[in-house]
Amino acid sequence: MAQTQPTSALLYVGTYSVRGSKGIYVFNFDLESGTVQLQQTVENGKSPSFLAIHPSGRYLYAVNEEDELGEEQSGSVNAYAIDPESGQLTFLNQQLTHGQAPCHISIDRSGKLAFVSNYGSGSLTVLPVADDGSLGEASQKIQHTGRSVDEERQEGPHVHSAIVSADNQLLYVSDLGTDQIYIYRIDTEGGQLTESTTTPTVRVSAGSGPRFTAVHPGDERIYCIKEMSSTVAVLKRTPQTDTVEIVQDDVSFLLETYSGERSGADIHLDSKGQFLYVTNRGNNTLAVFSIADVGTLTHRILHYTGGDEPRNFLVDEPSQFVLVGHQETDNITLFKRDASSGDLSATGDQIEVPSPVCLLMVHRS
């Protein structure tokens, strides 16, 4: 007997604590109409900006970007349990990140480790995840060093994200301050990261500022959005040796005539690895690329996102909705995606949320 497709999902929105934001917002999202209903507001005044969902779908994690705890002036991360029926969040515990201004968190695919990127101090923290979803004390902290050519923004390391490979073997860590992508091997049992012996780092063009990576489903291509240049780098991983090299760099997703602010924000692939999507906050646009069999990019189209500062977005393939969160205009706009062409069309609908920074969706079973 064929399984029926879910008709609703849970939409979790992390925010900055400005303009009346309460913290984390939980919505019920109708997968057919795109309408939402607020389910819960989780009070948190410390800018619970970036979120991550446990692979089991039972737990959610949020970095507190404004926390300054203890002698280290450390940030922190909160763990929450997700109610299987309502999707509402219940606080489990909090742990220090042992770094300043944590801006990103990811969970390894086994659900045993959390990786927190401390932008302010340029460090990466590993936290073990217990069976009940709570976080243990940090098992490792890695401090990056170095700088790059921009004296104001690259005066030191600024770790922006840590993305897990599809096979759960490698961690790609983007450091905006040093113009490098650091590559670590993941030891889920020991709760530790070790530097890759074949390619410990990949250096991108000077002053470009790597921000996020997206891993191709086949694991042989990695796409890095670079914030300061609004360009994408395409990297190739050789599975037999785990060497990583750049095969296409500085692929712009802006018009050649564009002379405004370059502020690349977010990057996502579709599940088949046929299309790549990236946003630029400088002109509030979302670009669509097609991906060749060899992994290289061809620019297809540029869309206005319908708000100011499109910081984060999500591509929900079961419903073919694309949701774009705007940090400065307090709104999430909706698009419909054509799965065959990859193109988007605005629905005209939007969700009002103060300063949305991160959007995640969990489908109801």
Side-chain angles (χ1 to χ4, degrees), residues 279-281 283-286 302-311 322-335 344-352 356:
T279 47
N280 181 61
R281 290 168 289 186
N283 61 349
N284 304 319
T285 54
L286 190 155
L302 198 65
H303 289 276
Y304 170 58
T305 58
D308 191 14
E309 295 257 346
R311 188 180 183 91
V322 174
L323 281 66
V324 185
H326 299 90
Q327 178 184 335
E328 293 302 319
T329 45
D330 303 335
N331 66 324
I332 299 169
T333 52
L334 276 67
F335 294 80
L344 307 176
S345 57
T347 68
D349 297 321
Q350 66 176 6
I351 306 165
E352 294 183 2

Side-chain angles (χ1 to χ4, degrees), residues 8-128:
S8 66
L10 297 161
L11 174 63
Y12 296 94
V13 183
T15 68
Y16 282 140
S17 298
V18 295
R19 296 189 294 278
S21 172
K22 300 298 184 183
I24 302 172
Y25 292 80
V26 184
F27 294 93
N28 185 65
F29 184 87
D30 189 297
L31 295 170
E32 296 177 353
S33 66
T35 57
V36 297
Q37 182 176 9
L38 182 64
Q39 296 282 93
Q40 182 190 22
T41 303
V42 180
E43 298 278 345
N44 184 334
K46 295 294 185 179
S47 286
S49 57
F50 208 88
L51 312 176
I53 301 287
H54 191 272
S56 68
R58 296 167 55 193
Y59 311 107
L60 180 141
Y61 304 92
V63 295
N64 298 313
E65 199 158 338
E66 292 181 7
D67 258 354
E68 295 179 347
L69 302 176
E71 294 181 0
E72 294 178 293
Q73 296 291 287
S74 173
S76 65
V77 56
N78 286 4
Y80 300 90
I82 300 175
D83 184 274
E85 297 297 325
S86 67
Q88 294 193 8
L89 303 178
T90 300
F91 177 77
L92 291 174
N93 76 329
Q94 180 183 96
Q95 290 289 357
L96 298 182
T97 69
H98 301 284
Q100 287 81 53
C103 66
H104 184 269
I105 182 169
S106 59
I107 310 296
D108 92 286
R109 298 181 190 277
S110 74
K112 295 180 179 179
L113 299 176
F115 309 111
V116 180
S117 301
N118 299 299
Y119 182 86
S121 53
S123 59
L124 176 68
T125 305
V126 183
L127 298 162

Side-chain angles (χ1 to χ4, degrees), residues 115 124 140 142-144 159 162-163 165 168-175 181-187 192-197 199-201:
F115 309 111
L124 176 68
Q140 187 180 22
I142 299 173
Q143 178 64 56
H144 287 183
V159 176
I163 305 297
S165 64
N168 207 45
Q169 297 298 308
L170 301 180
L171 189 70
Y172 303 105
V173 180
S174 298
D175 193 319
I181 301 167
Y182 294 74
I183 303 170
Y184 298 98
R185 296 201 67 84
I186 302 171
D187 177 3
Q192 297 282 312
L193 298 171
T194 56
E195 187 179 85
S196 171
T197 56
T199 310
T201 63

Side-chain angles (χ1 to χ4, degrees), residues 223-244:
Y223 299 89
C224 176
I225 185 171
K226 298 187 288 178
E227 177 177 334
M228 296 168 64
S229 62
S230 287
T231 60
V232 176
V234 184
L235 287 70
K236 176 184 177 181
R237 173 188 175 189
T238 303
Q240 294 82 0
T241 59
D242 277 343
T243 55
V244 180

